Amino acid sequence: MEIKIMKNVLDRNKNKANEVRSLMKENNVLLVNLISSPGAGKTTLLDCTLEKLKNTFKIAIIEGDIATDRDAQRLKKHKVPIVVINTEGGCHLDSHSISKVLPKFNLENLDVIFIENVGNLVCPSHFDLGESFKLALVSTTEGDDKPIKYPMLFREAKVILLNKIDLLEYTNFNRSSFLKDLNNVNGKVPFFEVSCTANINMEQWYDWIFNEIISK
Amino acid sequence: MEIKIMKNVLDRNKNKANEVRSLMKENNVLLVNLISSPGAGKTTLLDCTLEKLKNTFKIAIIEGDIATDRDAQRLKKHKVPIVVINTEGGCHLDSHSISKVLPKFNLENLDVIFIENVGNLVCPSHFDLGESFKLALVSTTEGDDKPIKYPMLFREAKVILLNKIDLLEYTNFNRSSFLKDLNNVNGKVPFFEVSCTANINMEQWYDWIFNEIISK
C-alpha cells in the first residue's frame, strides 16, 4: 500500500519534471539541482559562483528551505532574481513546487537557474525536479564515507565538488578512502576539490560550469 | 490524499512507538534516539561514550544506515550488542523497524540502547521511535544557522551537543548567533559544546547521560 502510494507520488513527480525539462529546453535555460547535507556550503558556493559569473550570464536562483529565507538574504546583494520555496517541514523539493514558481522568472531572458535544494543527502536524490543535471556538494568535515553511505546522490550527479578542502588537515578525512569509494559508486564523474571560502581550486569549477552553460 | 496517507503512516508509527516505549519501561531500559546531519559525528560520539561507560552500564547499539554496515564496524571493538538496520534508501528509521529488531537483545540485561538514526536533520525528527528522548548533535563546521533552519529537531531534543568545537577557529561559525537562534527555538535545553575527537568538554556529556541512565 505505502509502496504503491510512493510509486504514484514519484510517477506524478516524474511527469511534471518532464514538463519542466521541456520548458527549460524551449527557453534554452540550464537548470541545476544543487544537493548536499546541511551546512556543506551550498549557499556559499552560489555566492561565489554568482560573484564570478553574474556579469557573463543571466542567472536566477530558487532557494529551497524548510523554514526562513536566510539563504536568500545572503544572496540578495547580487541583485539576481531569487525565489524562495519554504517546504514547511518537507525534506525535499519536488517538480510541482518548481513548476509553480517558474512563472515568476522571465525565462527567455535567463541562461541558468540554480536550485538550492533542502539540506539533505537522502530525499532530494529521489525527486527529479526537471533539472538539466544534479550537482552534488560534500565537505571534508563530514567525513570520507559519504559516497558509499549515501550512494544514490553520488551515482546520479553529473559533477561533484568536495568542499572545505582548506580544513582537510584539521580532520581525519581519508582522501584515498574517499576517492576509492567514489570510484566504486561513480568512477567517471568530474570531481573538484575546492574551498569556496578560501578560494582554492574554484577556477576548475567556474571553467566547468562556464562550459556547461555555453554548450547548453 | 497524500496528506491523509502521511497522517495514517504517522499514526501507525506513533502506535508502534508507544508499544516500544512500554516495552522499554517494563524492562527499565533507556532508549536514546541520536539524530544529526551526515558527518556531524554520531558514530564518533557513540565510540567515545561506549569507551567511557561500557564498564559501568550495559549498553547496546542500533545502527540505522541507508546502506553498508560501516558504522557498526567502527563500534564492534567495544564488544557490545549491535544490530544494523539498513533502510535501503529510506531516509529515517521508524518504530516498526525498531520493534522488529528489539527481540535480538536481552532487554532485561540492558541499561541503555543508543539508536544511531540515518544521517538527516529533517525526516528522522518526524518519526517517534518509542525513544526515551531525542539527542541532537550538530557540528561547528555545518554553520551556525541550523537551529533556525531545521527547528523541529532542536525543539524536540532533550539535550543538544555542538560537536567539533576544536574546529571553531577555522570556520566562520558565529557562536552568539547560534545561541540566539537556539534560545528562540528551545531556550531551556541542556547544551554542551564538545569535541569528541579532541576530547573537549566530554565530561559534561558523560555526567549528563550518566545521570539520565541512573535516574531512568
Side-chain angles (χ1 to χ4, degrees), chain B residues 66-208:
Chain B
I66 290 172
T68 84
D69 65 348
R70 288 229 176 164
D71 292 345
Q73 290 294 336
R74 287 174 58 192
L75 299 179
K76 71 178 184 182
K77 65 185 174 188
H78 294 292
K79 302 193 189 306
V80 304
I82 303 179
V83 173
V84 177
I85 302 175
N86 270 333
T87 64
E88 292 170 10
C91 52
H92 61 272
L93 295 174
D94 64 21
S95 57
H96 295 270
S97 57
I98 298 298
S99 176
K100 257 186 226 163
V101 302
L102 286 177
K104 294 180 190 289
F105 297 117
N106 183 358
L107 293 178
E108 287 174 17
N109 199 31
L110 286 179
D111 295 308
V112 54
I113 301 174
F114 289 99
I115 302 168
E116 181 173 343
N117 217 313
V118 175
N120 185 337
L121 273 190
V122 193
C123 317
S125 314
H126 294 270
F127 285 81
D128 184 358
L129 303 183
E131 68 264 1
S132 311
F133 61 83
K134 290 182 174 71
L135 155 59
L137 182 70
V138 59
S139 59
T140 57
T141 52
E142 289 170 71
D144 49 56
D145 55 3
K146 297 302 155 287
I148 203 83
K149 288 184 62 186
Y150 302 84
M152 189 164 178
L153 173 61
F154 294 93
R155 198 178 294 131
E156 294 215 336
K158 189 177 181 183
V159 58
I160 296 173
L161 301 190
L162 176 61
N163 193 23
K164 308 191 188 181
I165 199 73
D166 56 318
L167 299 183
L168 185 67
E169 64 184 297
Y170 308 114
T171 72
N172 53 11
F173 186 96
N174 184 322
R175 200 173 159 277
S176 65
S177 173
F178 176 88
L179 292 174
K180 187 177 155 209
D181 287 345
L182 180 59
N183 191 52
N184 284 334
V185 172
N186 188 348
K188 294 177 179 170
V189 67
F191 165 70
F192 308 115
E193 302 180 12
V194 303
S195 168
C196 299
T197 55
N199 195 25
I200 296 171
N201 295 337
M202 291 301 286
E203 290 297 329
Q204 296 176 7
W205 155 247
Y206 299 143
D207 286 351
W208 188 90

Side-chain angles (χ1 to χ4, degrees), chain A residues 1-2 5 9 12 37-40 42-44 65-68 70-71 74 89-91 116 118-123 126 139 141-146 148-151 164 166-167 170-172 177 181 197, chain B residues 1-2 5 9 12 37-40 42-44 65-68 70-71 74 89-91 116 118-123 126 139 141-146 148-151 164 166-167 170-172 177 181 197:
Chain A
M1 172 70 172
E2 274 175 50
I5 295 291
V9 169
R12 279 208 306 278
S37 299
K42 291 183 293 306
T43 315
T44 305
D65 261 314
I66 290 172
T68 84
R70 289 228 175 164
D71 292 346
R74 288 174 58 192
C91 51
E116 181 173 346
V118 174
N120 185 338
L121 273 190
V122 192
C123 316
H126 295 270
S139 60
T141 53
E142 290 170 71
D144 49 56
D145 55 3
K146 296 301 156 287
I148 202 84
K149 288 184 63 187
Y150 302 84
K164 308 191 188 182
D166 55 319
L167 299 182
Y170 308 114
T171 72
N172 53 13
S177 172
D181 287 344
T197 56
Chain B
M1 171 69 171
E2 274 174 49
I5 294 291
V9 169
R12 278 209 305 279
S37 298
K42 290 184 294 306
T43 314
T44 305
D65 262 313
I66 290 172
T68 84
R70 288 229 176 164
D71 292 345
R74 287 174 58 192
C91 52
E116 181 173 343
V118 175
N120 185 337
L121 273 190
V122 193
C123 317
H126 294 270
S139 59
T141 52
E142 289 170 71
D144 49 56
D145 55 3
K146 297 302 155 287
I148 203 83
K149 288 184 62 186
Y150 302 84
K164 308 191 188 181
D166 56 318
L167 299 183
Y170 308 114
T171 72
N172 53 11
S177 173
D181 287 345
T197 55

